[in-house]
Amino acid sequence: MKKVFLETFGCQMNVSDSERVATTLSARGYEMTPMQSDADVILINTCSVREKAELKLYSQVGRIRKHFEKKPVVGVMGCVAQLEGETLFDKIEGVDLVIGTRAVGRVAEALDDVFKGGGQVADLGEREPDYDWDVAEPQRHSPYVAFIPIIEGCNKFCTYCIVPFSRGREVSLPASEIVRQVLELRRQGVKEIHLIGQNVNSYKPSDESGLESFPGKTPFSQLLRAVAATGIERIKFNTSFPRDFHDDIVDAIEENDNLCNWVHLPVQSGSDQVLRAMKRLHTVDRYKSKIDRIKSSPRNIALTTDIIVGFPGETREDFEKTAELFEYCEYDMAYIFKYSPRFGTPSFKMADDVTLEEKTARFNELEKIQKRFQTESLSRYNGKTISVLAEKFSAKSQDDLSGHSTCHRVVNFKGSARMLGQIVDVRVTEVKANSLYGEAV
Ligand code: SAH
Ligand code: SF4
Ligand code: F3S
């Protein structure tokens, strides 16, 4: 049996694709291995969102070629594969297989072809719309947590972003299919599902069956209600696009305990001028009014965001507006990125005029503000009892378990193996930099 090692970079869409690939490969006579040195095939699921992410592919293939005596078949999947296609065979020596994001369902066929002596194989073809969750023993990052892509692709074309090019146009899965998957996962013992997509709240299925029971709401909040009605213990969703974030999403959270209290709402900048140049389609004021609604909720909804510093033309003054917005929103967590020009995007043509030193300085400044709010937000849990899904043994100690709270905080705690897969009450006894520590009560 050929052994496959699969490494995943990038966002949760890639994680989900990798899970799907692992499941299909296992069903098709390949064996997934956690040992890279042992593998007959190394698949790299790539990300292209920033230059650094893309460079990981090059360094990985270089490392494989240098250190591995046994020459494994090397396959490139994901966004770099979709964007670069067959040119990767020339750009990187030692690549045998290129599988685009749209051909991810056909990795097994492509690998079969390589082993049949087909030489270098590339498939960037059309993506098949639905996939088979009924395959025995699905391979997921956790047996208790599952990702369900509800919308693929992106139509927004923010000027800096490569994703619309690597993932194509938005396609929403029918609600009835999503609900079917949730029910099936629940039957398999999954406790928490994440509805995922580049912009989940732009959800707009062409077939609205499954949403009839929730009239008068936006399609995404209808979907949330329909999924909540399945009775699955926990539902999380990300990412949300600010322009399409409507109050009825918060209403849905307030009406359903199993809709978790966490919203990831990337703002990117606190300056209207920069937001316009980014084509984010929202203003700071409109964003703030959405934040006000989220913060007004008795559900105590955790709020996280993404930020880009050093976008072309971002002045010191623009940056200070971002810092002010951070003070206003008091994010529980923020992912801060330095602007990275991506070939083929509209902003690639704009002068990348904020120096790296200045980008770094702005990054550090924001990070400092962020850490302050993060520490404050974590400290509020000290001494409190929160509900945690026990997902696995902690990486540091076999006596501890690790999981997430409803607001998506990492919580490590003293507990026993029989708790795995259960939602347990944990009393928080210690606040760490990025996580909480406690004991099961
Ligand atoms: N669809 C989501 C995010 C997708 S990409 C949204 O619209 O919010 C994840 C994050 O990567 C983005 O939110 C953005 O902060 C960052 N990002 C995307 N392109 C980038 C670039 N060219 N340079 C730096 N950061 C970038
Ligand atoms: Fe990229 Fe904008 Fe689409 Fe998000 S919404 S994936 S940032 S183009
Ligand atoms: Fe990266 Fe592709 Fe996701 S570019 S962020 S892996 S959609």
Side-chain angles (χ1 to χ4, degrees), residues 46-231:
T46 56
C47 173
S48 189
V49 80
R50 286 167 294 276
E51 189 185 18
K52 246 194 197 162
E54 185 161 338
L55 291 178
K56 285 188 184 148
L57 165 64
Y58 290 80
S59 59
Q60 271 307 70
V61 179
R63 220 170 49 81
I64 295 165
R65 286 177 50 76
K66 204 160 150 205
H67 295 297
F68 290 26
E69 267 172 44
K70 178 164 141 186
K71 287 270 165 280
V73 166
V74 175
V76 182
M77 295 166 36
C79 290
V80 180
Q82 188 68 42
L83 291 163
E84 307 271 338
E86 293 178 21
T87 63
L88 280 177
F89 294 135
D90 301 327
K91 280 190 188 148
I92 316 177
E93 207 181 320
V95 171
D96 305 287
L97 183 68
V98 175
I99 293 281
T101 54
R102 284 167 217 167
V104 79
R106 290 193 294 273
V107 175
E109 282 92 332
L111 267 180
D112 291 348
D113 285 349
V114 172
F115 283 114
K116 272 188 225 135
Q120 291 174 320
V121 177
D123 187 350
L124 307 175
E126 281 311 304
R127 183 159 194 148
E128 287 142 42
D130 56 358
Y131 51 92
D132 193 357
W133 275 97
D134 300 327
V135 194
E137 296 178 48
Q139 306 240 345
R140 285 191 302 266
H141 67 289
S142 157
Y144 316 114
V145 181
F147 289 167
I148 305 181
I150 62 162
I151 178 167
E152 309 250 1
C154 180
N155 291 351
K156 308 298 188 285
F157 290 94
C158 303
T159 53
Y160 50 82
C161 184
I162 198 72
V163 172
F165 304 94
S166 65
R167 290 274 168 178
R169 294 297 68 72
E170 284 171 6
V171 181
S172 298
L173 243 75
S176 48
E177 173 58 20
I178 296 166
V179 168
R180 186 191 70 76
Q181 287 183 18
V182 176
L183 289 169
E184 171 61 19
L185 289 163
R186 187 172 176 227
R187 199 186 57 74
Q188 290 175 9
V190 167
K191 296 287 157 56
E192 178 173 305
I193 54 143
H194 292 219
L195 305 176
I196 61 167
Q198 287 304 342
N199 303 295
V200 278
N201 55 335
S202 305
Y203 180 73
K204 205 168 188 308
S206 51
D207 166 3
E208 298 208 350
S209 59
L211 299 177
E212 313 70 8
S213 319
F214 310 95
K217 310 282 180 191
T218 57
F220 180 60
S221 90
Q222 284 179 311
L223 177 72
L224 286 179
R225 289 169 162 94
V227 172
T230 63

Side-chain angles (χ1 to χ4, degrees), residues 209-249:
S209 59
L211 299 177
E212 313 70 8
S213 319
F214 310 95
K217 310 282 180 191
T218 57
F220 180 60
S221 90
Q222 284 179 311
L223 177 72
L224 286 179
R225 289 169 162 94
V227 172
T230 63
I232 186 112
E233 276 83 349
R234 283 177 165 194
I235 304 148
K236 294 177 180 175
F237 57 89
N238 89 64
T239 300
S240 296
F241 187 65
R243 185 201 58 183
D244 296 342
F245 194 91
H246 300 294
D247 286 357
D248 64 354
I249 297 174

Side-chain angles (χ1 to χ4, degrees), residues 219-357:
F220 180 60
S221 90
Q222 284 179 311
L223 177 72
L224 286 179
R225 289 169 162 94
V227 172
T230 63
I232 186 112
E233 276 83 349
R234 283 177 165 194
I235 304 148
K236 294 177 180 175
F237 57 89
N238 89 64
T239 300
S240 296
F241 187 65
R243 185 201 58 183
D244 296 342
F245 194 91
H246 300 294
D247 286 357
D248 64 354
I249 297 174
V250 185
D251 297 342
I253 295 176
E254 289 176 354
E255 287 157 23
N256 295 281
D257 284 343
N258 54 352
L259 283 176
C260 288
N261 52 338
W262 167 46
V263 170
H264 182 59
L265 203 57
V267 69
Q268 313 299 356
S269 168
S271 150
D272 280 334
Q273 196 176 309
V274 175
L275 288 176
R276 252 195 318 276
M278 290 175 162
K279 286 225 170 72
R280 282 294 283 180
L281 311 173
H282 65 85
T283 60
V284 174
D285 274 351
R286 297 198 64 161
Y287 182 82
K288 278 182 170 170
S289 69
K290 293 169 200 248
I291 299 303
D292 293 345
R293 172 66 186 104
I294 295 169
K295 297 251 173 194
S296 75
S297 172
R299 283 290 303 276
N300 199 7
I301 299 170
L303 184 66
T304 57
T305 201
D306 295 348
I307 289 284
I308 296 175
V309 292
F311 186 78
E314 185 188 71
T315 61
R316 187 73 214 171
E317 211 183 346
D318 291 321
F319 169 72
E320 265 151 27
K321 289 182 182 155
T322 303
E324 273 166 37
L325 186 66
F326 262 51
E327 301 279 347
Y328 186 88
C329 296
E330 306 187 350
Y331 293 112
D332 293 85
M333 174 120 81
Y335 301 90
I336 307 167
F337 306 105
K338 294 176 199 166
Y339 171 70
S340 163
R342 305 309 291 140
F343 179 75
T345 61
S347 70
F348 189 79
K349 297 200 188 82
M350 304 176 192
D352 182 14
D353 53 1
V354 181
T355 62
L356 184 59
E357 287 81 27

